[in-house]
């Protein structure tokens, strides 16, 4: 009898599709958390495969901080139009205007943590019982603690010590009224896996991931892009550099790296030689050793 083998990308794809189908089977109103970054784009692509030839059964949920890369917003809107899916937008600016959160002050001020309140408010308003994210265990030590189905209590809080066992691929999405889950179908993928899959599937990505000329300033050991939201400090000067971004967040906190990788093949080669995590240039993760875990316990992505 001949044996049938899957290569490792096919195995990862199959696992992710299984999880996406489990989400649709177990929850009433799930959505995909969509940031316009490569991981949420990948999850959306996998959802297309999981339910083909039907269209994606999930709405896309974007928490808009108001400090986004313009390229990211344009990519989001184009993709929503192409897929014909619903887009739910939670606005951090509206949360600020309504007094739900207070704008940070100072040189390293960011709206990153303010997304927590906006996200939880949007989840409650739309009665979302599962939010599918693109988090991966190799990104950051707090994300390494996540299960495929990650329980959140009725305050939206995450307790890493109070999660469901996931033996034999049995996923338990049962929850009380007011609680919800986060699902992470690409938890077991690495950054290299993501790029190899994007190259294999020829998935369109924002130009920000490709090396390009940009005006930047050196801050927090990263090249931070110049924007209307960035206030230069005394002694700081802008430069034009050929850079690309390994991960995308707010334009005020996402650091780029100098790079000549202007094709997917070159990006794969570059990533294979990296010894620094892709979130190593995110200034929001440099605030403390437990910055990500602290935010996640409050309800962050």
């Amino acid at each position: 009898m001949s044996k049938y083998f899957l290569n490792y990308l096919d195995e990862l794809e199959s696992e992710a599709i299984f999880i996406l189908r489990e989400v649709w089977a177990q929850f009433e109103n799930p959505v995909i958390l969509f940031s316009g970054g490569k991981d949420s784009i990948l999850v959306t692509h996998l959802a297309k495969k999981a339910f083909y030839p039907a269209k994606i059964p999930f709405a896309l949920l974007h928490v808009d901080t108001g400090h986004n890369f313009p390229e990211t917003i344009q990519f989001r809107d184009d993709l929503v139009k192409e897929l014909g899916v619903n887009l739910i937008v939670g606005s951090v600016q509206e949360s600020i205007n309504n007094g739900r959160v207070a704008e940070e002050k100072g040189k390293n001020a960011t709206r990153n943590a303010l997304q927590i309140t906006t996200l939880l408010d949007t989840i409650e308003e739309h009665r979302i019982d599962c939010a599918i994210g693109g988090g991966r265990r190799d990104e950051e030590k707090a994300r390494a603690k996540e299960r495929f189905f990650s329980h959140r209590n009725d305050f939206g809080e995450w307790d890493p010590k109070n999660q469901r066992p996931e033996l034999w691929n049995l996923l338990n999405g049962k929850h009380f009224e007011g609680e919800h889950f986060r699902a992470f179908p690409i938890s077991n993928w690495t950054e290299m896996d993501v790029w190899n899959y994007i190259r294999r599937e020829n998935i369109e990505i924002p130009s920000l991931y490709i090396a390009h000329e940009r005006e930047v300033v050196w801050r927090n050991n990263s090249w931070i892009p110049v924007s209307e939201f960035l206030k230069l400090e005394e002694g700081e000067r802008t430069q034009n550099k050929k850079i690309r971004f390994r991960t995308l967040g707010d334009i005020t906190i996402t650091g780029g790296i100098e790079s000549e990788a202007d094709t997917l093949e070159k990006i794969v080669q570059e990533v294979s030689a990296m010894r620094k995590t892709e979130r190593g240039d995110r200034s929001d993760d440099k605030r403390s050793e437990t910055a990500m875990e602290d935010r996640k316990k409050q309800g962050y992505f």
Side-chain angles (χ1 to χ4, degrees), residues 100-116:
R100 294 284 292 150
V101 292
E103 187 92 67
E104 288 187 3
K105 306 296 182 182
K107 173 182 177 181
N108 295 315
T110 170
R111 289 186 171 185
N112 194 46
L114 307 188
Q115 296 178 85
I116 298 171

Side-chain angles (χ1 to χ4, degrees), residues 39-56:
D39 297 320
S40 60
I41 293 169
L42 172 58
V43 170
T44 305
H45 176 83
L46 290 165
K48 285 172 58 179
K49 281 199 164 188
F51 299 98
Y52 182 84
K55 74 174 186 178
I56 295 174

Side-chain angles (χ1 to χ4, degrees), residues 237-301:
R237 61 186 183 87
T238 64
Q239 302 180 52
N240 286 316
K241 291 280 185 180
K242 190 172 185 181
I243 64 166
R244 74 176 192 87
F245 301 95
R246 294 175 69 191
T247 179
L248 296 183
D250 270 10
I251 196 170
T252 58
I253 60 172
T254 303
I257 60 171
E258 292 188 66
S259 174
E260 295 294 328
D262 53 6
T263 66
L264 290 177
E265 289 73 18
K266 290 180 181 179
I267 290 175
V268 169
Q269 292 175 2
E270 184 178 81
V271 170
S272 67
M274 290 288 185
R275 293 297 178 265
K276 183 180 182 181
T277 175
E278 64 189 288
R279 291 187 67 91
D281 291 304
R282 290 282 292 268
S283 59
D284 51 327
D285 288 350
K286 297 178 181 181
R287 292 191 167 192
S288 74
E289 284 293 321
T290 60
M292 172 65 82
E293 183 159 338
D294 292 342
R295 294 199 306 272
K296 285 179 69 64
K297 287 179 178 179
Q298 299 171 44
Y300 188 71
F301 309 113

Side-chain angles (χ1 to χ4, degrees), residues 209-252:
Y209 285 111
I210 307 297
H212 60 286
E213 291 285 338
R214 198 176 195 104
E215 188 179 12
V216 292
V217 63
W218 184 251
R219 180 183 290 183
N220 292 332
N221 295 317
S222 301
W223 290 111
I224 302 297
V226 174
S227 70
E228 60 181 302
F229 311 111
L230 184 71
K231 295 181 179 179
L232 295 179
E233 297 292 310
E234 186 176 351
E236 288 184 330
R237 61 186 183 87
T238 64
Q239 302 180 52
N240 286 316
K241 291 280 185 180
K242 190 172 185 181
I243 64 166
R244 74 176 192 87
F245 301 95
R246 294 175 69 191
T247 179
L248 296 183
D250 270 10
I251 196 170
T252 58

